[in-house]
Amino acid sequence: MFLFLDFQNKQEQFSFFFFWRRSEKYLKKMTLMIFLVMLIMESATEKLCPLRASIDVLEGEYFFLCYLESRQEHFQEEAYTVNWYKESAGKQQLIKETRRIVSQMNFLEFWPAELSDSGNYSVIHSNGKRNFTVQKWTLNVLERNKSSCFNENHLTTEIKSAGIGHSLKCSDLSVNENDSITWYKDCKKYEHETEREVNFRALTVQNSGIYTCKILISHEGTIYYSTNTIKLVVEEDAPEAFSLEIVGHHEEIETEIGKEKILNCTGFLGYYMQEDASLYWLINQTFPEQCTDIPENEPSICEEELKKLQLGNKFYITRLLRIKKVRDEDMHHNFTCMLQADESTQMKIVKLKKGKTQDLPVHIFTTGMVLALLFPFVAVAVVFVFVMFRVDFVLFYRSICRRDDTAGDGKEYDAFVSYLKDCVSPIEEEREFALKILPMILEENFGYKLCIFERDVFAGGAFVDDIHSFIDKSRRLIIILSQNYISDRAIYELESGLHKALVERKTKIILIEYTPIRDYNFLPESLSLLPSKRVVKWKKDKSLPVNSRFWKNLRYLMPAKPIKIKTTGHYNNLDLGSKTA
């Protein structure tokens, strides 16, 4: 009997233990599921409400501003009110709800957005005792293009290689999965595509185009819509497929007898550095001597050491041929650049020819030499004055002859200005210099036309395309250089300009050393190939007057063009010293 009761008690204990173990596993699974659901909801909210300071939207489309609920933790245990504000005439104006503008906790909806909605917005939490600004935005409502289904300033660009899979994703402005979606390619309806993504198993060049997705949203019996436009560029060759080549074709270069001439040969190696690649010069099928860096022992024509460059994801090698003084017989030589790698050989032939007279005619130089022989003391004085005031003489010569290097070259701007934008310096000196001082002098006083990205380029465009396009349209690239210069956008502008100057030789670079720089290691190595004479140093108050050495040196490096200097005295002494000092 006792044995039976003991067995029954053990059986009950085992059943309870088994039930408790199953309940514990069930509770763990439930806890994990709840955590995953909360994580997904948080991720979806972050996707809908990204932390963007500036937002572009097209007029006539549905749009909303929102912030993450996690950002309101400062009033988590207190009652508070949510107020939305728009800046008007420098003051914050409370937004009153209308049928078109509706606020719902952390959302401010526009049914639809209008051009007048552009401005600065903020959301403030208040508990009656104190206010807390949760987030701020700058909303730019862009005018709709009446002749097209998209606005060129409101699209993103995606560059892909042929042969890979890719998906184009529609915007997340619509949270309802049942909303109707229509895709367009080059403003023509893209058949059989009604999902939020357009999938390509293997891209081809024919897939290139401008894709627009249109989401229809129903609200209080009215149909609204929002659009998202993507420019897809499919490159025919994948990065692995390339041909070894020398940049540029056979060419004739203008020069003058007696002047130094440097010939540059650059070879494109592809998307990785080939260690066995060689690049060298031949003069009438004869190897030149190597440069020694000792002026008195330097041969008349010598070849410098091979240098390796990386611009973006592309690799180059380059070698300079230095002609100390061009002779008449050099005009009849063939200077051949040879590139060899992977049992492949490329060549480029360069010839010299007598060019047009530049800045100072030869007869002026000859007259000066005759005077130097006849009157030694006068000659020494003339040479000294010329060296000290060479820039002034050249500017005076351009002014008298009204020389114009910009006529008929097809360029729209005299210079593209690159400066620090992504990181703001402590007193914003560099930004004020780029946006205020530089255009005030060069544009208003000397008639130059500058391209300043923040001022002249509409927001919302394709950044990569804009940078390439505007540098191509400019005769010079002005880089305002400081220790804080390097950022994602600034380094891209610098690399693009170096590619134009060193590889394509289409654009000349001017470096403005805005603040003294002790260490240049943060700059690309290829920048060392630029001549030191193209660096101008800003010396704060000393450089402010229009007739200072800084502005003269900068004008000397700019393209020659006729100017009309204003006679009013306002610009001769800028009233910016207290801000810039």
Side-chain angles (χ1 to χ4, degrees), residues 34-51:
I34 292 173
F35 175 75
L36 289 174
V37 170
M38 293 176 63
L39 188 64
I40 293 172
M41 291 178 64
E42 180 70 17
S43 176
T45 306
E46 289 182 2
K47 193 174 183 181
L48 285 171
C49 305
L51 299 176

Side-chain angles (χ1 to χ4, degrees), residues 2 6 56 60 103 141 193 196 207 294 312 324 327 337 404 422 449 492 548 550 573:
F2 288 109
D6 184 56
D56 296 333
S103 63
V141 182
E193 288 294 345
R196 288 183 177 268
N207 294 134
I294 303 176
K324 196 171 184 180
R327 300 166 298 176
C337 174
D404 190 358
D422 296 339
K449 185 177 181 182
Y492 182 79
S548 68
F550 172 84
N573 197 357

Side-chain angles (χ1 to χ4, degrees), residues 275-526:
E275 299 300 332
D276 63 337
S278 63
L279 184 74
Y280 56 89
W281 283 96
L282 294 175
I283 305 174
N284 291 339
Q285 306 305 315
T286 302
F287 290 99
E289 298 183 48
Q290 296 295 314
C291 295
T292 61
D293 293 331
I294 303 176
E296 55 271 17
N297 297 334
E298 204 79 87
S300 59
I301 301 179
C302 64
E303 183 182 55
E304 294 193 352
E305 292 184 358
L306 182 72
K307 292 190 177 182
K308 300 177 180 180
L309 304 175
Q310 180 180 358
L311 297 175
N313 63 340
K314 297 180 179 180
F315 290 85
Y316 300 85
I317 53 177
T318 183
R319 191 186 290 271
L320 301 180
L321 184 69
R322 187 180 299 276
I323 305 175
K324 196 171 184 180
K325 287 184 179 181
V326 176
R327 300 166 298 176
D328 187 63
E329 61 191 76
D330 295 329
M331 300 293 179
H332 308 288
H333 289 166
N334 285 338
F335 299 92
T336 305
C337 174
M338 303 291 294
L339 172 64
Q340 293 180 335
D342 291 336
E343 299 181 356
S344 176
T345 301
Q346 298 287 328
M347 62 182 293
K348 170 185 175 181
I349 298 176
V350 179
K351 292 186 176 182
L352 302 180
K353 66 176 182 179
K354 293 183 179 179
K356 299 176 182 178
T357 303
Q358 299 292 326
D359 281 334
L360 290 179
V362 177
H363 68 272
I364 295 180
F365 178 79
T366 304
T367 303
M369 292 301 296
V370 172
L371 291 174
L373 293 174
L374 296 176
F375 309 98
F377 295 101
V378 176
V380 171
V382 169
V383 171
F384 176 80
V385 171
F386 181 81
V387 171
M388 293 297 296
F389 301 98
R390 181 173 183 270
V391 172
D392 301 78
F393 285 146
V394 172
L395 294 179
F396 177 74
Y397 172 79
R398 292 178 181 178
S399 176
I400 294 298
C401 299
R402 299 193 62 80
R403 178 180 161 189
D404 190 358
D405 290 342
T406 65
D409 63 357
K411 301 282 188 178
E412 183 177 350
Y413 300 97
D414 293 306
F416 180 95
V417 181
S418 174
Y419 65 99
L420 180 66
K421 298 176 278 294
D422 296 339
C423 303
V424 180
S425 63
I427 52 178
E428 294 190 323
E429 290 182 348
E430 299 160 51
R431 189 169 182 272
E432 182 183 44
F433 177 81
L435 295 177
K436 188 173 181 181
I437 299 178
L438 201 63
M440 181 183 294
I441 300 299
L442 292 185
E443 291 185 337
E444 298 184 23
N445 260 36
F446 301 112
Y448 288 108
K449 185 177 181 182
L450 304 180
C451 178
I452 303 176
F453 197 93
E454 185 174 346
R455 182 192 69 177
D456 300 324
V457 181
F458 292 107
F463 172 73
V464 174
D465 294 345
D466 285 346
I467 291 296
H468 274 296
S469 174
F470 285 97
I471 292 181
D472 278 337
K473 295 177 182 177
S474 304
R475 301 177 181 93
R476 299 287 188 274
L477 171 60
I478 296 178
I479 298 174
I480 302 175
L481 195 61
S482 69
Q483 198 71 38
N484 300 322
Y485 174 76
I486 297 302
S487 66
D488 286 345
R489 179 176 292 182
I491 193 63
Y492 182 79
E493 294 173 359
L494 178 57
E495 289 183 345
S496 298
L498 287 173
H499 186 277
K500 302 290 183 187
L502 299 177
V503 178
E504 299 179 14
R505 301 202 298 179
K506 292 182 178 178
T507 305
K508 292 183 179 179
I509 294 181
I510 302 174
L511 292 180
I512 296 180
E513 188 177 298
Y514 184 75
T515 56
I517 298 176
R518 294 180 296 274
D519 184 10
Y520 283 85
N521 291 333
F522 69 98
L523 294 172
E525 183 182 357
S526 54

Side-chain angles (χ1 to χ4, degrees), residues 134-273:
V134 180
Q135 194 169 339
K136 295 181 178 181
W137 303 265
T138 297
L139 181 62
N140 303 309
V141 182
L142 306 177
E143 187 174 0
R144 178 169 297 280
N145 189 341
K146 301 297 188 297
S147 60
S148 178
C149 65
F150 64 90
N151 186 315
E152 292 185 356
N153 296 318
H154 192 249
L155 56 78
T156 56
T157 300
E158 296 183 11
I159 302 176
K160 302 295 176 182
S161 299
I164 66 172
H166 186 59
S167 297
L168 298 179
K169 297 177 176 60
C170 199
S171 65
D172 298 303
L173 282 177
S174 169
V175 296
N176 190 348
E177 294 294 334
N178 297 324
D179 288 336
S180 173
I181 297 178
T182 304
W183 282 88
Y184 299 85
K185 180 184 179 184
D186 299 328
C187 293
K188 294 181 181 179
K189 190 173 182 181
Y190 202 56
E191 297 295 337
H192 311 303
E193 288 294 345
T194 58
E195 301 298 328
R196 288 183 177 268
E197 294 186 9
V198 175
N199 298 307
F200 301 94
R201 295 185 62 183
L203 287 171
T204 64
V205 177
Q206 288 71 29
N207 294 134
S208 297
I210 297 179
Y211 293 81
T212 302
C213 75
K214 185 175 183 180
I215 306 176
L216 299 183
I217 307 168
S218 177
H219 175 69
E220 295 185 353
T222 304
I223 300 297
Y224 299 88
Y225 65 91
S226 66
T227 62
N228 184 35
T229 302
I230 304 169
K231 181 180 180 181
L232 178 62
V233 179
V234 181
E235 296 178 338
E236 186 171 3
D237 296 327
E240 293 77 13
F242 70 94
S243 59
L244 191 74
E245 63 176 345
I246 294 178
V247 178
H249 304 286
H250 301 317
E251 59 180 332
E252 289 187 347
I253 299 178
E254 294 184 352
T255 186
E256 294 181 19
I257 301 295
K259 282 193 173 183
E260 182 186 33
K261 192 65 184 178
I262 298 176
L263 304 182
N264 179 15
C265 183
T266 301
F268 171 57
L269 300 181
Y271 299 88
Y272 66 95
M273 181 58 69

